[in-house]
Amino acid sequence: MNTGKQGRDLIKQFEGYRSTSYLCPAGVWTIGYGHTKGVTAGQYCTRADAERFLSEDLQTAENTLNRFAETNDLVLRQCQFDALVSFIFNVGTGNWSKSTLRKLVAADPGDPYIRYQFSRWVYGGGKELPGLVRRRKAEADLYFKEPT
């Protein structure tokens, strides 16, 4: 599976576009739409660069989630996939692999307790961040979105 428009839009909304590199609340150099790989102080990127970085970064999260779904014989709906890709994109593949959220999805993708697990990941640099609180709620809402 690949990230759909809703997933990309959610990530872009919460990451925001930044043309110059900056230190995120966790102290990591970031640019574009949350791109961190190889970023240093004083870098600049265009929107086209940011879109390319986003596509590359999403591929890492998508590959991680697709392997997870295949290994656990799961069929995820697009909204579930998009929400989880946003989560993995934000917290990283290592944190995802150790998370209770991952374990719950593997056991039962419909478990309502999954919503709570999203809400636990709201800290950056040791502080609860209002932007992460809103993002996790948006991810959980997307994950549990009813099919239309």
Side-chain angles (χ1 to χ4, degrees):
M1 266 181 120
N2 295 312
T3 308
K5 181 174 176 1
Q6 286 184 355
R8 284 183 76 97
D9 288 350
L10 186 147
I11 292 166
K12 288 168 77 171
Q13 172 192 344
F14 283 98
E15 294 293 342
Y17 166 68
R18 300 281 292 267
S19 62
T20 56
S21 57
Y22 66 97
L23 279 174
C24 77
V28 177
W29 285 106
T30 306
I31 200 166
Y33 297 110
H35 178 71
T36 59
K37 185 176 180 185
V39 178
T40 59
Q43 280 187 279
Y44 174 82
C45 77
T46 64
R47 282 202 187 264
D49 293 331
E51 289 288 343
R52 188 181 78 251
F53 291 151
L54 179 60
S55 293
E56 292 168 3
D57 294 339
L58 285 178
Q59 194 163 36
T60 300
E62 290 167 349
N63 290 344
T64 296
L65 189 53
N66 281 321
R67 279 191 306 275
F68 164 78
E70 185 177 323
T71 300
N72 291 281
D73 199 26
L74 299 175
V75 176
L76 298 171
R77 294 183 294 119
Q78 185 68 54
C79 59
Q80 292 171 319
F81 186 86
D82 288 356
L84 292 172
V85 164
S86 175
F87 179 83
I88 294 166
F89 176 91
N90 186 242
V91 306
T93 57
N95 285 325
W96 157 254
S97 69
K98 298 180 287 189
S99 71
T100 302
L101 174 61
R102 181 186 157 285
K103 292 172 188 156
L104 288 176
V105 172
D108 176 7
D111 185 339
Y113 195 58
I114 288 170
R115 179 176 291 280
Y116 169 72
Q117 290 303 316
F118 275 106
S119 75
R120 294 182 60 222
W121 292 82
V122 295
Y123 298 91
K127 295 184 201 173
E128 183 176 282
L129 301 177
L132 286 180
V133 172
R134 290 190 304 276
R135 182 178 186 148
R136 297 300 174 247
K137 182 182 181 320
E139 289 167 346
D141 288 348
L142 179 57
Y143 185 91
F144 285 103
K145 182 179 177 182
E146 291 296 322
T148 55

